[in-house]
Amino acid sequence: MTASIESARPTTSDREETAQRLLASSARKSYDPMVEVDWEAPIPADKFGLTPEWSTLYGTALWDEMTDEQRIELTKHEAACVSGVGLWFEILLMQMLLRDVYGRDKHSRHVQFALTEVADECRHSVMFARAGERLSMPGYGPPKIIHRLGRIWGSFFRGANAYASVMAAEEILDMMQRDFMRDERVQPVTRTVSKIHVLEEARHIRFAREEVLRRIEGAGWGRLQIERLNTAVVVYFVMKSMIRKDVYRNAGLDPQRARDEAKHNQHYKDMVRTSGSKLMQFLDSAGLVGGPTKRLYKRVHLL
């Protein structure tokens, strides 16, 4: 670890100051999705569900064969799948935050911001659910086995590994949604939902990053391996959950062919690698990338 990285690590004395700033930011700029999103607005037939370049099939032979209507339908299902995975992870995040502050001083600004974040995530969960419903999509989420593993993760992991995993999952959504919210080709409901999530998650990511650095400091070799592995496994499962075979089936495509082409889609791999570079640089600087975990990151194209 370089001296510059060490000097940048937040100390325990910084915790309250950071939390106070984040609380002030929350007071100035927070959103109520039930008010900010026009849930009654029509769904334009010519708008994509998400930025087409973020479709898992963009750039493939199958994409070239599809009509514009088929592409739009596919991206609506993919947007609903992203929202479903986001909703699932928001619920895990709320559980982790509440467990983490359970025994802490409730007068502290750190705990008060954590509770503010829980309130934000609760609104986000409802927002993601409403977005999928508004697009008339099925209730997507992670595969059953990953959903069940989430229960184990949610009740077991603590400390730096929990914050690192949550931060990484949130940044994966963030890297996609920054494109969605700016793209006028995308459905208005997707754009507004993405904008709200990106703006509020910026505070959450800052909070989590500082907690990761604070809690990982001084970790021994054994603990560091556990932290690395847990973070990499969570990122791996979140990324894998973004590509669901039933998404292709429900969009009217041959699910096996679509899955095969998505698996080998170099354009999508490059999008993930480029957009995820900031996340990976942070995890590496914190000592959370190394050894066998690199293989997991490579398998989901983040390295």
Side-chain angles (χ1 to χ4, degrees):
M1 201 74 66
T2 66
S4 61
I5 291 173
E6 289 291 350
S7 63
R9 289 183 180 276
T11 65
T12 302
S13 61
D14 297 327
R15 179 180 272 156
E16 287 292 277
E17 183 181 340
T18 297
Q20 181 61 49
R21 288 199 303 270
L22 295 175
L23 281 168
S25 175
S26 297
R28 288 193 306 270
K29 188 171 289 187
S30 291
Y31 300 89
D32 182 352
M34 296 302 103
V35 175
E36 300 289 340
V37 182
D38 185 355
W39 298 109
E40 302 303 319
I43 303 298
D46 61 342
K47 298 287 187 181
F48 292 94
L50 47 71
T51 295
E53 287 79 7
W54 269 110
S55 172
T56 55
L57 291 180
Y58 184 90
T60 65
L62 180 54
W63 179 269
D64 292 340
E65 295 171 17
M66 294 163 63
T67 65
D68 286 342
E69 291 76 12
Q70 287 176 314
R71 293 170 180 171
I72 287 170
E73 183 67 11
L74 170 63
T75 57
K76 285 182 182 179
H77 283 274
E78 289 179 317
C81 189
V82 169
S83 290
V85 172
L87 193 163
W88 164 68
F89 213 85
E90 301 283 24
I91 293 172
L92 287 177
L93 167 57
M94 288 186 279
Q95 293 177 41
M96 185 276 291
L97 283 171
L98 289 171
R99 282 196 311 273
D100 191 59
V101 303
Y102 184 80
R104 295 179 182 272
D105 178 9
K106 308 307 183 291
H107 292 174
S108 72
R109 295 297 182 263
H110 172 80
V111 169
Q112 290 170 23
F113 180 74
L115 294 174
T116 300
E117 182 172 343
V118 170
D120 289 344
E121 302 297 12
C122 189
R123 292 194 303 272
H124 294 172
S125 297
V126 176
M127 178 175 71
F128 284 142
R130 288 288 293 273
E133 178 187 7
R134 188 67 191 92
L135 292 173
S136 301
M137 294 290 107
Y140 290 111
K144 288 182 179 179
I145 183 63
I146 296 178
H147 189 271
R148 289 170 183 161
L149 287 172
R151 291 184 183 276
I152 300 172
W153 182 91
S155 61
F156 180 73
F157 290 105
R158 301 286 189 277
N161 54 36
Y163 276 98
S165 302
V166 165
M167 181 213 66
E170 294 288 10
E171 289 222 34
I172 288 167
L173 289 175
D174 186 80
M175 72 186 186
M176 297 179 178
Q177 289 179 324
R178 286 183 180 275
D179 287 341
F180 301 170
M181 72 185 212
R182 301 187 186 104
D183 195 338
E184 294 186 358
R185 298 171 296 172
V186 171
Q187 291 285 341
V189 65
T190 303
R191 294 181 64 194
T192 306
V193 164
S194 298
K195 178 182 176 182
I196 291 172
H197 194 245
V198 165
L199 292 176
E200 295 192 337
E201 286 302 325
R203 294 190 290 264
H204 304 170
I205 289 171
R206 168 71 183 279
F207 183 68
R209 280 188 172 214
E210 292 204 7
E211 282 302 299
V212 170
L213 293 176
R214 190 176 291 115
R215 297 185 188 207
I216 200 71
E217 189 170 15
W221 182 88
R223 181 183 159 208
L224 187 61
Q225 304 314 305
I226 294 172
E227 304 280 11
R228 284 178 174 177
L229 181 61
N230 177 60
T231 303
V233 167
V234 171
V235 170
Y236 176 83
F237 282 138
V238 169
M239 290 299 298
K240 284 294 185 181
S241 297
M242 297 289 185
I243 304 177
R244 296 289 306 276
K245 200 171 181 179
D246 51 340
V247 165
Y248 305 126
R249 181 183 298 106
N250 293 335
L253 303 175
D254 177 342
Q256 189 58 53
R257 181 188 173 189
R259 185 67 179 269
D260 289 344
E261 294 209 21
K263 184 177 179 180
H264 298 96
N265 185 357
Q266 190 59 47
H267 170 83
Y268 185 78
K269 294 177 183 179
D270 291 341
M271 288 282 286
V272 171
R273 188 174 297 109
T274 300
S275 299
S277 60
K278 183 179 176 183
L279 165 64
M280 297 310 300
Q281 287 170 8
F282 171 77
L283 292 177
D284 188 39
S285 73
L288 292 172
V289 178
T293 64
K294 287 186 176 181
R295 297 177 191 170
L296 289 175
Y297 290 121
K298 287 178 180 178
R299 290 187 66 178
V300 291
H301 323 302
L302 284 165
L303 284 179

